Amino acid sequence: MGFDIGGWEFLVIILVGVFIFGPDRLPKAISDGVKMLRQVRQMARNATGDLSKELGTDIQLEDLHPKTFLRKHLLSEEDEAALRKPLQGIYDDVRGVADQVKRDASDAAAAAKNVGKATAPAPAAAPAPAPQPAVRASWDDVT
């Protein structure tokens, strides 16, 4: 967990600390803050360790998010695959269309660059492929 603090932000934090705690108590306040942070981290490690022992599996702190926890520890791989199956075909179709759009855009960009260069005649464009009928999923496909 990294903090992106620049020089000015760090200077402002130090000045606020000096104003709040005073120059005499600021080092003690920083020391107490660091100790508290270490204790909170240790408590989190202990909690995840205890939970791992109780459940009989390895749990990381990120796994405590409810969605991640359910997916990782309560659903089997077959259950997860069954949940993903109805959307996989749609995902594949969208991915294919996106790839085609990307190819068409790069072809158009290349053609636009060649328009300015009139040294050679442009090759004839290939005919566009015939549109394919949309795939409709029925309730029987899902179950």
Side-chain angles (χ1 to χ4, degrees):
M1 183 169 132
F3 294 105
D4 188 19
I5 297 178
W8 287 107
E9 290 94 357
F10 187 71
L11 183 63
V12 168
I13 291 171
I14 295 295
L15 288 175
V16 169
V18 168
F19 286 133
I20 291 175
F21 296 108
D24 298 334
R25 294 187 313 194
L26 184 61
K28 174 92 169 100
I30 292 172
S31 170
D32 291 344
V34 170
K35 285 180 187 176
M36 184 182 72
L37 184 61
R38 286 184 185 149
Q39 288 175 347
V40 168
R41 285 184 181 169
Q42 186 61 37
M43 287 175 18
R45 278 191 217 108
N46 289 340
T48 55
D50 292 343
L51 193 57
S52 293
K53 288 177 189 174
E54 291 293 324
L55 293 176
T57 183
D58 183 36
I59 294 182
Q60 302 298 320
L61 193 58
E62 296 83 25
D63 296 339
L64 296 179
H65 187 279
K67 289 181 182 179
T68 306
F69 184 83
L70 286 174
R71 187 179 73 238
K72 186 173 179 182
H73 297 288
L74 297 181
L75 294 177
S76 67
E77 289 181 17
E78 295 83 24
D79 293 339
E80 188 174 351
L83 288 173
R84 290 179 187 255
K85 183 180 179 181
L87 299 176
Q88 188 64 39
I90 295 170
Y91 174 78
D92 292 340
D93 291 343
V94 169
R95 182 70 172 197
V97 169
D99 289 342
Q100 183 62 38
V101 168
K102 185 190 259 186
R103 283 191 297 272
D104 291 346
S106 65
D107 291 344
K113 286 182 182 178
N114 290 334
V115 167
K117 301 175 185 176
T119 56
Q132 296 184 0
V135 177
R136 301 189 128 224
S138 69
W139 182 253
D140 294 332
D141 295 336
V142 174
T143 57

